[in-house]
Amino acid sequence: LYTDQKSQNGIEITPYFNELKKKGLFASNFYGQSIQTSKGQFATLAGVLPHSRSKVFTTFPLLKVKGLASILNDHGYLSIFTKAFKTLDFDNSESGAEQLGFSVAESLGKAKYLTREDRSKIWGWGLQDDQYYKKFFKYIDNKHKNNPNKPILGTLTTVSNHMMFD
């Protein structure tokens, strides 16, 4: 964890988050509610156990949930849902992010965001994690630059722990 840690030159790595920890609840370990990504995202971001037989985002595409993104939006946040996969179509992620109240849903693995270097770092189902993290923080920095006083909830859906299962 980078919380409560300092860089080599003595500057806190996550100063804003460290302050937030003092005002709320912090769990140093988190255990997800499903082995399927979309079910785990739904449970984590909506605060509701996932459907046992299907994926909420695909089975109930019109469902609206007052989840974490919606609540933070009400408190002035910009909420951003991102994936490293090439589209938001898989598991109906775009609709799912909308159902959960995200302001922005974006696939940072789609062609318009990929550089030549990125294209060599795609394997399995999308952009490998280290490259995706760089792309995500550049994306967030640009959003922050446009509105520096607006806090951001950013979510990342990585793909390196996914592969073409046989």
Side-chain angles (χ1 to χ4, degrees), residues 26-73:
F26 174 76
S28 58
N29 293 308
F30 173 80
Y31 300 95
Q33 294 84 357
S34 177
I35 61 168
Q36 285 184 309
T37 303
S38 64
K39 287 184 176 185
Q41 285 175 331
F42 179 76
T44 302
L45 298 169
V48 179
L49 289 176
H51 195 275
S52 63
R53 292 190 179 96
S54 65
K55 298 171 186 171
V56 173
F57 298 149
T58 56
T59 307
F60 307 102
L62 301 178
L63 179 70
K64 295 289 184 203
V65 179
K66 185 77 170 174
L68 181 61
S70 298
I71 293 166
L72 290 177
N73 288 345

Side-chain angles (χ1 to χ4, degrees), residues 37-139:
T37 303
S38 64
K39 287 184 176 185
Q41 285 175 331
F42 179 76
T44 302
L45 298 169
V48 179
L49 289 176
H51 195 275
S52 63
R53 292 190 179 96
S54 65
K55 298 171 186 171
V56 173
F57 298 149
T58 56
T59 307
F60 307 102
L62 301 178
L63 179 70
K64 295 289 184 203
V65 179
K66 185 77 170 174
L68 181 61
S70 298
I71 293 166
L72 290 177
N73 288 345
D74 291 347
H75 291 279
Y77 278 70
L78 171 65
S79 56
I80 301 172
F81 176 92
T82 67
K83 289 180 87 165
F85 190 62
K86 63 185 172 189
T87 73
L88 290 171
D89 297 340
F90 187 76
D91 275 344
N92 207 18
S93 292
E94 186 167 24
S95 174
E98 183 180 307
Q99 286 170 259
L100 292 169
F102 280 90
S103 308
V104 177
E106 192 66 78
S107 169
L108 299 181
K110 70 178 159 184
K112 81 175 192 177
Y113 288 113
L114 298 178
T115 65
R116 179 175 287 153
E117 180 187 2
D118 294 334
R119 293 179 200 286
S120 69
K121 306 231 175 176
I122 293 176
W123 62 276
W125 286 353
L127 194 57
Q128 70 187 38
D129 290 355
D130 60 340
Q131 205 64 16
Y132 174 48
Y133 297 147
K134 290 175 192 173
K135 191 158 291 305
F136 173 81
F137 286 109
K138 184 177 181 182
Y139 181 84

